[in-house]
Amino acid sequence: MRKRENYLEEGISALLPVYTEGVGDTTLLITLEGHQRVIHKKIKSVLKGIAASLSYDIVELRRKYREILGQKSKIPIPFKHDLVLMPVSVRHPLIQGDETFGYINYRLIEQVIREGKYCKVVLQNGIEIQLLQSYSTTQKNILNAQLVEKHFMQNNYKGIEKISSLQELSDELHCPATRGDIMVLYEHIKKVIEMLESNTK
């Protein structure tokens, strides 16, 4: 059985739908360092694989945050404390059914620049991504990503009482001691213990 590819190891700045000659609809991965490579899978399949590697159901994630935001489409997908994928329009379809949305790690957005009726996003690694949507729409996307991130952090990183803001949390989680990983593991262990204790009563 082929081992599932772990895109998280490279770090994700963006996932963009691209056409590859001889293959068709594929996905361009832009890593944290700005390296780019084409994954010979559609973007929906790549997202599903990322969710599975983290033991998430992407359908459930979308449903949950669709209800929280009160909208049906363009739902940000939170995977980790440093990976919240924000959907943005990046291309016109060649044929009906082609994916037109890409996903940018909103945590890595450095700047949004107006360009006529559209705009572009500049990432922290210097990569520029041209969008087929307005500046105001992109700002709304960012606001939605912030709301999703806040809810995700509150529900998945409880127990870190000393941290008073999301920025402080981000700083703490990037410390060499990998405190974020330890706290997540702690939460999972605590839940397992609680579940075992309830089953023995």
Side-chain angles (χ1 to χ4, degrees):
M1 182 177 178
R2 186 175 180 272
K3 183 181 178 181
R4 185 187 298 277
E5 192 169 11
N6 188 356
Y7 313 112
L8 297 173
E9 292 177 354
E10 300 171 78
I12 299 173
S13 287
L15 294 167
L16 307 174
V18 293
Y19 297 109
T20 300
E21 187 175 356
V23 180
D25 212 6
T26 57
T27 301
L28 177 67
L29 166 65
I30 302 177
T31 70
L32 293 181
E33 296 182 354
H35 301 307
Q36 302 182 28
R37 73 177 178 91
V38 174
I39 302 168
H40 288 185
K41 294 180 181 180
K42 293 185 177 181
I43 199 164
K44 289 181 179 179
S45 178
V46 173
L47 291 172
K48 187 177 180 180
I50 294 171
S53 70
L54 295 169
S55 301
Y56 288 132
D57 180 342
I58 195 166
V59 174
E60 178 59 24
L61 273 179
R62 281 199 171 107
R63 182 202 63 76
K64 179 179 181 179
Y65 290 104
R66 187 180 294 121
E67 292 179 356
I68 290 172
L69 294 177
Q71 64 184 47
K72 295 182 179 180
S73 61
K74 299 185 77 171
I75 307 300
I77 306 172
F79 286 125
K80 297 173 61 183
H81 69 275
D82 57 357
L83 180 59
V84 180
L85 294 180
M86 180 184 86
V88 288
S89 180
V90 293
R91 71 174 184 179
H92 297 296
L94 285 180
I95 59 174
Q96 186 175 4
D98 281 347
E99 184 62 68
T100 59
F101 290 104
Y103 291 81
I104 295 174
N105 186 351
Y106 123 86
R107 298 295 306 278
L108 303 179
I109 294 176
E110 182 71 25
Q111 189 178 10
V112 180
I113 301 174
R114 296 178 190 267
E115 290 198 338
K117 65 177 182 178
Y118 297 133
C119 68
K120 69 179 178 182
V121 167
V122 181
L123 302 180
Q124 292 175 7
N125 56 23
I127 296 293
E128 297 183 358
I129 301 175
Q130 188 69 49
L131 307 185
L132 295 181
Q133 60 182 48
S134 68
Y135 179 88
S136 60
T137 295
T138 303
Q139 291 298 328
K140 181 181 179 182
N141 294 155
I142 291 173
L143 176 60
N144 284 341
Q146 290 173 339
L147 292 173
V148 165
E149 177 195 44
K150 182 176 181 181
H151 186 278
F152 178 78
M153 298 297 278
Q154 289 174 343
N155 284 271
N156 292 277
Y157 290 89
K158 294 177 181 177
I160 310 181
E161 295 85 3
K162 294 181 181 180
I163 298 172
S164 60
S165 71
L166 292 177
Q167 183 58 51
E168 289 174 352
L169 176 58
S170 178
D171 293 341
E172 287 292 326
L173 293 176
H174 283 87
C175 288
T178 63
R179 177 172 177 169
D181 292 335
I182 294 172
M183 291 308 302
V184 171
L185 180 60
Y186 168 76
E187 288 296 320
H188 283 306
I189 292 174
K190 188 168 70 172
K191 288 178 181 178
V192 170
I193 292 173
E194 291 173 352
M195 182 181 67
L196 290 174
E197 288 178 344
S198 64
N199 289 338
T200 56
K201 290 180 180 179

